């Protein structure tokens, strides 16, 4: 029974469909109820636009499924190049939306090119791994890989879209992880992020983490260099973060970084902290079963800003309660774990990295977006994959998923390389 | 083990750790801390709007609707959402000066940033419509439909009904914690609106509304599940006859004074009027401060209820009581005569003068002639404490019951020897001091309401009735009828033979004193009087009447200020009212005089 669709994975498809449908329901509620009265634009369009983008994404999936497997590898660098060009074009010709110059307009249709750059970048690093096949400590490879990611990330920082750039930075350790590098290296690469985060939340905890981490790395490797690097990447980063908070950052920037630690504080109340207070009130008041579809008082009163895009999770939390938020998290867990399994099944570094990169992108988005909505993290304007309103993001995320599914569908074609 | 597999495991673990952390966060937010988040969310989006209960309606004794409620629109501001830049626009829409709107906003801000305050009440529908057209610009502005009093008849009933105002902050502050009054609630002020407040007020309900971030109501909160509807207040059936009241009011146009008509059988008030009065509609919508200060400061005292609050010397209307006492106490008998030589011999100059030289008079003719000399003599023969003890059961010297606020009822003064001792000193007063009481002058102070009870008792054979304005109260929802509890009639022990003599005298007042007092086809008894008053000008004209004499159905006391003799204006007013009530019309032969009464103005009334 070797039917053609034998390797088309139903589990990840179902999780994807579930997330997209849930997203449409939330977008509908945020734009068709009384909430639409407070929006400054015609929000009912959003739902219909998202449907059109969903149609395009499905079409993309179908096309990906019929394309030959070699296409993705061959097209990886050209697509990466095109997305870089688009990023540059956006810097020059782009339109500024919410302070970020990352939108290119074709007629009335806007494309957020930084979203498309994610696809190009993941394909490029997958192709790099596919042709290079790095060993455990290939530093040259590591630099090339970091370079591939930093190039678009830098352009996006220049566009003033820090949130999306963060996703690229977060992709670095994940890409290195899937390249087969040593774990110690990975731990050291992740540690500054943790130390920095803890330094913002609590200096004590940052110090405790730095001591434990440095001690552990020293105990594990008995290597002086590793110990020094560990200390620098934890103590150093924590100290630098403290320095930045107290001496460098000021006003709005500082408020933005700090407000999540105490969003209700009067000092933050009038800016970003207010979003988080209202987002938490929305999610928390949803309780176990939620207030019901189109019944969320926070949502329908328009109290949460950007509730159809970056803060869509507050709509889910308020109207569908704990049940709703858990369904979302379970769907994401299923999708992410399933995708890396599919990647591993392909037994080819291109496929492994495509799946690892795609899940990495999704995971960073999910963590930052929900972390922000629940005040675990500062306000960072990035969407929740498949759920938030936003055509470019839906298309880009679906493209990543489609490529992984397409590769897995034809994974037997990889076998001649005997990996 | 396969290197790739182990990385899948590690990565899966990282995914689960991260998503698990988020799950724990959600457990805390949505399950553990739910209450506090719910509180925050309600603060944001839930607004309780008080739903005012419709106040009870008023009907007259024949079921004519007098007072009901009609919608009125009140504009509110929630300062947090309000933009001061829109003040000129808002002021323009509601026809107010910018400064006054700005002041309201300032007051609202001082009260609360997040709770709404009244910007302007008593909006017309068209004003409201104009505001609503601009609602998208006027953030923080919303409205409610409230009820205002609507008066359905031509008659005004001003002092009987009283009016309704929004409760003041000072009043509210004085109420105890269990009070169900809230800011913005209406409360009765004066008259029946005040006295029956607990019955006609009803119970306010509450609507829970969902507001958006601009403070505008977008929907019912939780589909209205928590809403509580208001309960209407009880309807009052009044004892007043709307037709008689309207007639009385037309007779009092341009005059100062008052009239009260009672049913002598049960004390039901058939009409009650104090003139000048004022239009209650002034109070049912926004009352501008100037109108209010005009009402307060007018020399005509329109806010003053002359029927219950003004007390004055009863003058000759007191003479029937003196006559009845003199006969009862045996000071004189029915054959007694006294010779009037134009004054009492104890007097000289202007003291103890009579209006004429009446010659020889028995008690009946003395009443008819209203001979002062005769009644000075009566008090020369008797002492003040006898008068006090005899007059007190007729309700003098104590505040009569009427179902309006006690503060609006004056008890008057019925002196006794103790009073004179304390006022003038022991041994400092003589029989001569009290002889003035015989003609209803001196220290006596009596209100028209007391006079009406008194003449009712003379008419009905000595039964003191309890005047009241409300016959019953009807619960609008259950139909349950409640009758207010009042004191039962009190029978005074009077000698009917002597009373008949007095009534014969009073009958002759009607038939002989003035042509306009006699009601065609109805026998009535009455007494005119004039009372000196502390104001300048002519004395006040008084008249009391009960009819029909054999079985009285109406007892009336009339006062017309500064109108001189009772027979000139007060008398005809009482006579016309009794005729109208008993026969339903005015005999055509009296029509011309009635019309001239309506257009006659008493001296000092200014303005209307």
């Amino acid at each position: 029974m070797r039917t053609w669709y034998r390797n088309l994975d139903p589990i990840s498809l179902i999780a994807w469909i579930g997330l997209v449908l849930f997203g449409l329901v939330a977008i509908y509620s945020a734009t068709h109820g009384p909430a639409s009265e407070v929006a400054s634009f015609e929000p009912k369009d959003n739902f219909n636009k998202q449907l059109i983008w969903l149609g395009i994404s499905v079409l993309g999936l179908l096309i990906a499924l019929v394309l030959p497997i070699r296409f993705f590898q061959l097209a990886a660098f050209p697509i990466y190049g095109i997305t870089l060009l688009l990023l540059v074009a956006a810097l020059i010709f782009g339109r500024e939306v919410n302070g970020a110059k990352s939108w290119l307009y074709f007629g009335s249709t806007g494309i957020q090119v930084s979203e498309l750059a994610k696809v190009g970048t993941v394909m490029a690093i997958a192709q790099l791994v596919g042709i290079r096949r790095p060993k455990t400590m290939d530093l040259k490879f590591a630099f090339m890989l970091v370079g591939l990611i930093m190039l678009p990330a830098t352009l996006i920082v220049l566009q003033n879209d820090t949130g999306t750039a963060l996703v690229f930075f977060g992709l670095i350790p994940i890409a290195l992880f899937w390249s087969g590098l040593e774990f110690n290296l990975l731990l050291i690469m992740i540690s500054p992020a943790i130390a920095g985060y803890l330094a913002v939340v609590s200096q004590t905890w940052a110090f405790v983490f730095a001591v434990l981490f440095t001690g552990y790395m020293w105990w594990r490797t008995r290597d002086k260099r590793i110990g020094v690097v560990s200390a620098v990447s934890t103590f150093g980063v924590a100290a630098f973060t403290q320095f930045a908070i107290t001496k460098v950052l000021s006003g709005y920037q500082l408020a933005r970084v700090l407000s999540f630690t105490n969003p209700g504080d009067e000092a933050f109340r009038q800016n970003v902290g207010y979003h988080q207070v209202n987002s938490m009130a929305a999610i928390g008041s949803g309780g176990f079963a939620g207030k019901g579809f189109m019944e969320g008082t926070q949502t329908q009163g328009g109290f949460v800003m950007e509730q159809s895009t970056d803060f869509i999770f507050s709509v889910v939390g308020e109207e569908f309660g704990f049940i709703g938020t858990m369904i979302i998290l379970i769907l994401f867990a299923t999708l992410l774990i399933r995708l890396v399994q599919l990647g591993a099944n392909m037994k080819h570094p291109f496929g492994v990295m495509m799946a690892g990169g795609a899940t990495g992108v999704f995971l960073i988005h999910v963590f930052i977006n929900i972390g922000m909505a629940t005040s675990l993290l500062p306000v960072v304007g990035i969407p929740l994959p498949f759920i938030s309103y936003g055509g470019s993001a839906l298309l880009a995320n679906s493209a990543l998923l489609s490529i992984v599914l397409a590769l897995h569908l034809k994974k037997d074609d990889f076998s001649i390389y005997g990996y | 083990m396969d290197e790739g597999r182990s990385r899948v495991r590690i990565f899966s673990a990282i995914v689960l750790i991260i998503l698990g952390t988020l799950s724990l966060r959600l457990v805390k937010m949505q399950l553990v801390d739910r209450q506090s988040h719910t509180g925050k969310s309600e603060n944001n989006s839930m607004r309780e709007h008080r739903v005012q209960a419709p106040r009870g309606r008023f009907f007259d004794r024949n079921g004519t609707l007098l007072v009901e409620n009609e919608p009125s629109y009140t504009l509110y501001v929630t300062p947090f959402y309000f933009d001061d830049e829109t003040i000129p626009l808002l002021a323009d829409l509601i026809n107010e000066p910018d400064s006054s709107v700005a002041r309201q906003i300032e007051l609202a801000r001082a009260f609360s940033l997040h709770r709404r305050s009244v910007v302007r009440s008593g909006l017309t529908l068209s004003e409201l419509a104009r505001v609503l057209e601009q609602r998208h610009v006027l953030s923080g502005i919303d409205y409610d439909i409230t009820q205002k009093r609507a008066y359905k008849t031509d008659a005004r009933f001003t002092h009987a009904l009283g009016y309704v105002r929004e409760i003041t902050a000072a009043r509210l502050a004085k109420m105890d914690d269990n009070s169900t009054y809230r800011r913005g609630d209406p409360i009765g002020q004066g008259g029946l609106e005040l006295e029956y407040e607990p019955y006609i007020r009803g119970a306010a309900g509450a609507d829970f509304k969902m507001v958006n971030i601009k403070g505008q109501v977008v929907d019912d909160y939780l589909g209205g599940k928590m809403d509580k509807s208001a309960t209407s207040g009880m309807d009052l059936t009044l004892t007043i006859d709307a037709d008689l009241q309207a007639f009385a009011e037309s007779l009092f146009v341009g005059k100062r004074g008052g009239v009260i008509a009672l049913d002598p059988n049960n004390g039901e008030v058939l009409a009650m009027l104090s003139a000048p009065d004022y239009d209650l509609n002034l109070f049912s919508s926004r009352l501008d401060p100037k109108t209010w200060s005009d009402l307060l400061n007018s020399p005509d005292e329109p806010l003053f209820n002359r029927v219950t609050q003004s007390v004055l010397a009863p003058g000759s209307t007191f003479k029937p009581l003196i006559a009845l006492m003199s006969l009862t106490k045996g000071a004189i008998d029915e054959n007694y005569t006294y010779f009037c030589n134009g004054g009492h011999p104890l007097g000289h100059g202007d003291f103890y003068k009579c209006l004429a030289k009446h010659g020889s008079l028995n008690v009946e003719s003395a009443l008819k002639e209203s001979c002062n000399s005769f009644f000075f003599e009566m008090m020369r023969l008797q002492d003040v404490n006898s008068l006090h003890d005899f007059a007190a059961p007729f309700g003098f010297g104590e505040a009569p019951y009427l179902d309006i606020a006690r503060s609006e009822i004056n008890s008057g003064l019925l002196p006794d020897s103790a009073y004179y001792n304390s006022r003038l000193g022991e041994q400092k007063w003589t029989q001569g001091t009290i002889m003035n009481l015989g003609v209803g002058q001196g220290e006596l102070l009596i209100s028209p309401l007391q006079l009406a009870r008194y003449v009712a008792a003379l008419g009905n054979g000595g039964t003191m009735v309890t005047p009241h304005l409300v016959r019953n109260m009807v619960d609008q929802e259950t139909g349950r009828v409640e009758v207010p509890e009042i004191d039962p009639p009190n029978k005074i022990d009077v000698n009917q033979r002597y009373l008949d003599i007095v009534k014969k005298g009073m009958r002759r007042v009607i038939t002989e004193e003035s042509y306009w007092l006699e009601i065609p086809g109805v026998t009535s008894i009455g007494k005119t009087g004039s009372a000196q008053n502390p104001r300048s000008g002519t004395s006040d004209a008084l008249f009391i009447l009960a009819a029909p004499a054999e079985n009285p159905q109406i007892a009336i006391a009339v006062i017309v200020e500064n109108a001189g003799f009772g027979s000139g204006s007060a008398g005809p007013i009482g006579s016309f009212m009794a005729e109208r009530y008993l026969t339903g019309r005015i005999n055509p032969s009296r029509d011309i005089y009635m019309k001239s009464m309506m257009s006659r103005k008493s001296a000092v009334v200014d303005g209307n």
Side-chain angles (χ1 to χ4, degrees), chain A residues 195 198 203-216 230-231 233-236 238:
Chain A
L198 289 177
Q203 293 179 49
T204 318
W205 280 108
F207 181 76
V208 169
F209 171 74
V211 170
L212 290 178
F213 182 76
T214 310
Y216 172 78
S230 303
S233 68
T234 52
F235 286 109

PDB file of all heavy atoms in Angstrom, chain A residues 195 198 203-216 230-231 233-236 238:
ATOM      1  N   ALA A 195      20.132  35.133  31.587  1.00  0.00           N
ATOM      2  CA  ALA A 195      20.717  36.064  32.567  1.00  0.00           C
ATOM      3  C   ALA A 195      20.138  37.465  32.383  1.00  0.00           C
ATOM      4  O   ALA A 195      19.806  38.147  33.359  1.00  0.00           O
ATOM      5  CB  ALA A 195      22.237  36.096  32.412  1.00  0.00           C
ATOM      6  N   LEU A 198      16.502  37.575  33.669  1.00  0.00           N
ATOM      7  CA  LEU A 198      16.439  37.564  35.128  1.00  0.00           C
ATOM      8  C   LEU A 198      16.926  38.890  35.707  1.00  0.00           C
ATOM      9  O   LEU A 198      16.407  39.356  36.723  1.00  0.00           O
ATOM     10  CB  LEU A 198      17.264  36.398  35.682  1.00  0.00           C
ATOM     11  CG  LEU A 198      16.656  35.008  35.450  1.00  0.00           C
ATOM     12  CD1 LEU A 198      17.594  33.921  35.967  1.00  0.00           C
ATOM     13  CD2 LEU A 198      15.298  34.894  36.147  1.00  0.00           C
ATOM     14  N   GLN A 203      17.468  41.067  40.410  1.00  0.00           N
ATOM     15  CA  GLN A 203      18.932  40.974  40.407  1.00  0.00           C
ATOM     16  C   GLN A 203      19.404  39.746  41.170  1.00  0.00           C
ATOM     17  O   GLN A 203      20.366  39.080  40.780  1.00  0.00           O
ATOM     18  CB  GLN A 203      19.533  42.227  41.055  1.00  0.00           C
ATOM     19  CG  GLN A 203      19.296  43.473  40.237  1.00  0.00           C
ATOM     20  CD  GLN A 203      19.878  44.705  40.919  1.00  0.00           C
ATOM     21  OE1 GLN A 203      21.021  44.701  41.353  1.00  0.00           O
ATOM     22  NE2 GLN A 203      19.068  45.757  41.005  1.00  0.00           N
ATOM     23  N   THR A 204      18.707  39.440  42.261  1.00  0.00           N
ATOM     24  CA  THR A 204      19.100  38.286  43.068  1.00  0.00           C
ATOM     25  C   THR A 204      19.058  37.007  42.243  1.00  0.00           C
ATOM     26  O   THR A 204      20.005  36.219  42.221  1.00  0.00           O
ATOM     27  CB  THR A 204      18.128  38.142  44.258  1.00  0.00           C
ATOM     28  OG1 THR A 204      17.889  39.444  44.776  1.00  0.00           O
ATOM     29  CG2 THR A 204      18.692  37.232  45.318  1.00  0.00           C
ATOM     30  N   TRP A 205      17.924  36.831  41.551  1.00  0.00           N
ATOM     31  CA  TRP A 205      17.781  35.612  40.763  1.00  0.00           C
ATOM     32  C   TRP A 205      18.819  35.556  39.648  1.00  0.00           C
ATOM     33  O   TRP A 205      19.357  34.485  39.334  1.00  0.00           O
ATOM     34  CB  TRP A 205      16.377  35.522  40.170  1.00  0.00           C
ATOM     35  CG  TRP A 205      15.388  35.023  41.189  1.00  0.00           C
ATOM     36  CD1 TRP A 205      14.425  35.735  41.815  1.00  0.00           C
ATOM     37  CD2 TRP A 205      15.325  33.703  41.716  1.00  0.00           C
ATOM     38  NE1 TRP A 205      13.743  34.959  42.709  1.00  0.00           N
ATOM     39  CE2 TRP A 205      14.274  33.693  42.673  1.00  0.00           C
ATOM     40  CE3 TRP A 205      16.048  32.522  41.491  1.00  0.00           C
ATOM     41  CZ2 TRP A 205      13.935  32.561  43.391  1.00  0.00           C
ATOM     42  CZ3 TRP A 205      15.700  31.388  42.206  1.00  0.00           C
ATOM     43  CH2 TRP A 205      14.660  31.395  43.147  1.00  0.00           C
ATOM     44  N   ALA A 206      19.147  36.698  39.047  1.00  0.00           N
ATOM     45  CA  ALA A 206      20.157  36.742  37.993  1.00  0.00           C
ATOM     46  C   ALA A 206      21.500  36.290  38.557  1.00  0.00           C
ATOM     47  O   ALA A 206      22.230  35.506  37.941  1.00  0.00           O
ATOM     48  CB  ALA A 206      20.260  38.154  37.422  1.00  0.00           C
ATOM     49  N   PHE A 207      21.810  36.767  39.769  1.00  0.00           N
ATOM     50  CA  PHE A 207      23.075  36.405  40.408  1.00  0.00           C
ATOM     51  C   PHE A 207      23.115  34.912  40.718  1.00  0.00           C
ATOM     52  O   PHE A 207      24.092  34.226  40.407  1.00  0.00           O
ATOM     53  CB  PHE A 207      23.236  37.231  41.699  1.00  0.00           C
ATOM     54  CG  PHE A 207      24.513  36.970  42.422  1.00  0.00           C
ATOM     55  CD1 PHE A 207      25.727  37.503  41.950  1.00  0.00           C
ATOM     56  CD2 PHE A 207      24.547  36.183  43.569  1.00  0.00           C
ATOM     57  CE1 PHE A 207      26.917  37.254  42.612  1.00  0.00           C
ATOM     58  CE2 PHE A 207      25.738  35.931  44.223  1.00  0.00           C
ATOM     59  CZ  PHE A 207      26.931  36.469  43.756  1.00  0.00           C
ATOM     60  N   VAL A 208      22.009  34.406  41.288  1.00  0.00           N
ATOM     61  CA  VAL A 208      21.934  32.976  41.610  1.00  0.00           C
ATOM     62  C   VAL A 208      22.122  32.139  40.347  1.00  0.00           C
ATOM     63  O   VAL A 208      22.892  31.174  40.317  1.00  0.00           O
ATOM     64  CB  VAL A 208      20.575  32.648  42.279  1.00  0.00           C
ATOM     65  CG1 VAL A 208      20.366  31.135  42.363  1.00  0.00           C
ATOM     66  CG2 VAL A 208      20.496  33.300  43.653  1.00  0.00           C
ATOM     67  N   PHE A 209      21.435  32.564  39.261  1.00  0.00           N
ATOM     68  CA  PHE A 209      21.546  31.814  38.005  1.00  0.00           C
ATOM     69  C   PHE A 209      22.987  31.828  37.498  1.00  0.00           C
ATOM     70  O   PHE A 209      23.524  30.798  37.085  1.00  0.00           O
ATOM     71  CB  PHE A 209      20.615  32.415  36.949  1.00  0.00           C
ATOM     72  CG  PHE A 209      20.822  31.851  35.579  1.00  0.00           C
ATOM     73  CD1 PHE A 209      20.388  30.558  35.262  1.00  0.00           C
ATOM     74  CD2 PHE A 209      21.492  32.586  34.596  1.00  0.00           C
ATOM     75  CE1 PHE A 209      20.609  30.041  34.002  1.00  0.00           C
ATOM     76  CE2 PHE A 209      21.708  32.060  33.331  1.00  0.00           C
ATOM     77  CZ  PHE A 209      21.265  30.778  33.036  1.00  0.00           C
ATOM     78  N   ALA A 210      23.633  33.001  37.546  1.00  0.00           N
ATOM     79  CA  ALA A 210      24.996  33.124  37.034  1.00  0.00           C
ATOM     80  C   ALA A 210      25.946  32.205  37.808  1.00  0.00           C
ATOM     81  O   ALA A 210      26.760  31.498  37.213  1.00  0.00           O
ATOM     82  CB  ALA A 210      25.449  34.584  37.124  1.00  0.00           C
ATOM     83  N   VAL A 211      25.790  32.187  39.126  1.00  0.00           N
ATOM     84  CA  VAL A 211      26.654  31.333  39.958  1.00  0.00           C
ATOM     85  C   VAL A 211      26.440  29.870  39.601  1.00  0.00           C
ATOM     86  O   VAL A 211      27.386  29.121  39.313  1.00  0.00           O
ATOM     87  CB  VAL A 211      26.357  31.569  41.463  1.00  0.00           C
ATOM     88  CG1 VAL A 211      27.070  30.514  42.312  1.00  0.00           C
ATOM     89  CG2 VAL A 211      26.775  32.977  41.859  1.00  0.00           C
ATOM     90  N   LEU A 212      25.166  29.453  39.571  1.00  0.00           N
ATOM     91  CA  LEU A 212      24.848  28.045  39.296  1.00  0.00           C
ATOM     92  C   LEU A 212      25.314  27.643  37.909  1.00  0.00           C
ATOM     93  O   LEU A 212      25.920  26.580  37.720  1.00  0.00           O
ATOM     94  CB  LEU A 212      23.337  27.808  39.424  1.00  0.00           C
ATOM     95  CG  LEU A 212      22.772  27.870  40.847  1.00  0.00           C
ATOM     96  CD1 LEU A 212      21.256  27.677  40.824  1.00  0.00           C
ATOM     97  CD2 LEU A 212      23.433  26.801  41.717  1.00  0.00           C
ATOM     98  N   PHE A 213      25.044  28.516  36.917  1.00  0.00           N
ATOM     99  CA  PHE A 213      25.380  28.166  35.541  1.00  0.00           C
ATOM    100  C   PHE A 213      26.896  28.048  35.352  1.00  0.00           C
ATOM    101  O   PHE A 213      27.388  27.054  34.816  1.00  0.00           O
ATOM    102  CB  PHE A 213      24.814  29.219  34.572  1.00  0.00           C
ATOM    103  CG  PHE A 213      25.076  28.899  33.140  1.00  0.00           C
ATOM    104  CD1 PHE A 213      24.334  27.921  32.491  1.00  0.00           C
ATOM    105  CD2 PHE A 213      26.097  29.550  32.438  1.00  0.00           C
ATOM    106  CE1 PHE A 213      24.583  27.616  31.167  1.00  0.00           C
ATOM    107  CE2 PHE A 213      26.352  29.235  31.109  1.00  0.00           C
ATOM    108  CZ  PHE A 213      25.601  28.272  30.475  1.00  0.00           C
ATOM    109  N   THR A 214      27.624  29.048  35.844  1.00  0.00           N
ATOM    110  CA  THR A 214      29.080  29.019  35.697  1.00  0.00           C
ATOM    111  C   THR A 214      29.651  27.793  36.403  1.00  0.00           C
ATOM    112  O   THR A 214      30.488  27.071  35.856  1.00  0.00           O
ATOM    113  CB  THR A 214      29.693  30.307  36.276  1.00  0.00           C
ATOM    114  OG1 THR A 214      29.007  31.426  35.729  1.00  0.00           O
ATOM    115  CG2 THR A 214      31.166  30.412  35.940  1.00  0.00           C
ATOM    116  N   GLY A 215      29.151  27.567  37.633  1.00  0.00           N
ATOM    117  CA  GLY A 215      29.602  26.412  38.403  1.00  0.00           C
ATOM    118  C   GLY A 215      29.323  25.118  37.652  1.00  0.00           C
ATOM    119  O   GLY A 215      30.189  24.251  37.534  1.00  0.00           O
ATOM    120  N   TYR A 216      28.124  24.997  37.104  1.00  0.00           N
ATOM    121  CA  TYR A 216      27.734  23.774  36.397  1.00  0.00           C
ATOM    122  C   TYR A 216      28.622  23.555  35.167  1.00  0.00           C
ATOM    123  O   TYR A 216      29.109  22.437  34.935  1.00  0.00           O
ATOM    124  CB  TYR A 216      26.260  23.874  35.987  1.00  0.00           C
ATOM    125  CG  TYR A 216      25.814  22.747  35.086  1.00  0.00           C
ATOM    126  CD1 TYR A 216      25.537  21.479  35.634  1.00  0.00           C
ATOM    127  CD2 TYR A 216      25.674  22.927  33.716  1.00  0.00           C
ATOM    128  CE1 TYR A 216      25.132  20.449  34.804  1.00  0.00           C
ATOM    129  CE2 TYR A 216      25.271  21.903  32.891  1.00  0.00           C
ATOM    130  CZ  TYR A 216      25.001  20.662  33.437  1.00  0.00           C
ATOM    131  OH  TYR A 216      24.607  19.632  32.629  1.00  0.00           O
ATOM    132  N   SER A 230      31.435  31.210  30.214  1.00  0.00           N
ATOM    133  CA  SER A 230      30.164  31.081  30.946  1.00  0.00           C
ATOM    134  C   SER A 230      29.969  32.257  31.888  1.00  0.00           C
ATOM    135  O   SER A 230      28.869  32.843  31.963  1.00  0.00           O
ATOM    136  CB  SER A 230      30.130  29.789  31.763  1.00  0.00           C
ATOM    137  OG  SER A 230      30.324  28.682  30.917  1.00  0.00           O
ATOM    138  N   ALA A 231      31.027  32.576  32.634  1.00  0.00           N
ATOM    139  CA  ALA A 231      30.920  33.676  33.590  1.00  0.00           C
ATOM    140  C   ALA A 231      30.610  34.980  32.876  1.00  0.00           C
ATOM    141  O   ALA A 231      29.720  35.730  33.280  1.00  0.00           O
ATOM    142  CB  ALA A 231      32.212  33.786  34.400  1.00  0.00           C
ATOM    143  N   SER A 233      29.202  35.377  29.971  1.00  0.00           N
ATOM    144  CA  SER A 233      27.880  35.401  29.340  1.00  0.00           C
ATOM    145  C   SER A 233      26.741  35.431  30.357  1.00  0.00           C
ATOM    146  O   SER A 233      25.607  35.679  29.994  1.00  0.00           O
ATOM    147  CB  SER A 233      27.710  34.212  28.404  1.00  0.00           C
ATOM    148  OG  SER A 233      27.660  33.022  29.165  1.00  0.00           O
ATOM    149  N   THR A 234      27.035  35.198  31.628  1.00  0.00           N
ATOM    150  CA  THR A 234      25.972  35.308  32.631  1.00  0.00           C
ATOM    151  C   THR A 234      26.175  36.542  33.508  1.00  0.00           C
ATOM    152  O   THR A 234      25.383  37.483  33.447  1.00  0.00           O
ATOM    153  CB  THR A 234      25.881  34.045  33.497  1.00  0.00           C
ATOM    154  OG1 THR A 234      27.168  33.751  34.024  1.00  0.00           O
ATOM    155  CG2 THR A 234      25.383  32.868  32.701  1.00  0.00           C
ATOM    156  N   PHE A 235      27.284  36.553  34.303  1.00  0.00           N
ATOM    157  CA  PHE A 235      27.563  37.728  35.142  1.00  0.00           C
ATOM    158  C   PHE A 235      27.652  38.982  34.278  1.00  0.00           C
ATOM    159  O   PHE A 235      27.081  40.011  34.597  1.00  0.00           O
ATOM    160  CB  PHE A 235      28.877  37.539  35.915  1.00  0.00           C
ATOM    161  CG  PHE A 235      28.769  36.570  37.044  1.00  0.00           C
ATOM    162  CD1 PHE A 235      29.383  35.320  36.977  1.00  0.00           C
ATOM    163  CD2 PHE A 235      28.053  36.902  38.190  1.00  0.00           C
ATOM    164  CE1 PHE A 235      29.285  34.421  38.009  1.00  0.00           C
ATOM    165  CE2 PHE A 235      27.958  35.999  39.234  1.00  0.00           C
ATOM    166  CZ  PHE A 235      28.569  34.752  39.145  1.00  0.00           C
ATOM    167  N   GLY A 236      28.405  38.829  33.188  1.00  0.00           N
ATOM    168  CA  GLY A 236      28.621  39.985  32.318  1.00  0.00           C
ATOM    169  C   GLY A 236      27.319  40.538  31.775  1.00  0.00           C
ATOM    170  O   GLY A 236      27.058  41.733  31.858  1.00  0.00           O
ATOM    171  N   ALA A 238      24.268  40.019  32.840  1.00  0.00           N
ATOM    172  CA  ALA A 238      23.391  40.536  33.902  1.00  0.00           C
ATOM    173  C   ALA A 238      23.835  41.929  34.316  1.00  0.00           C
ATOM    174  O   ALA A 238      23.017  42.841  34.464  1.00  0.00           O
ATOM    175  CB  ALA A 238      23.408  39.580  35.103  1.00  0.00           C
TER     176      ALA A 238
END
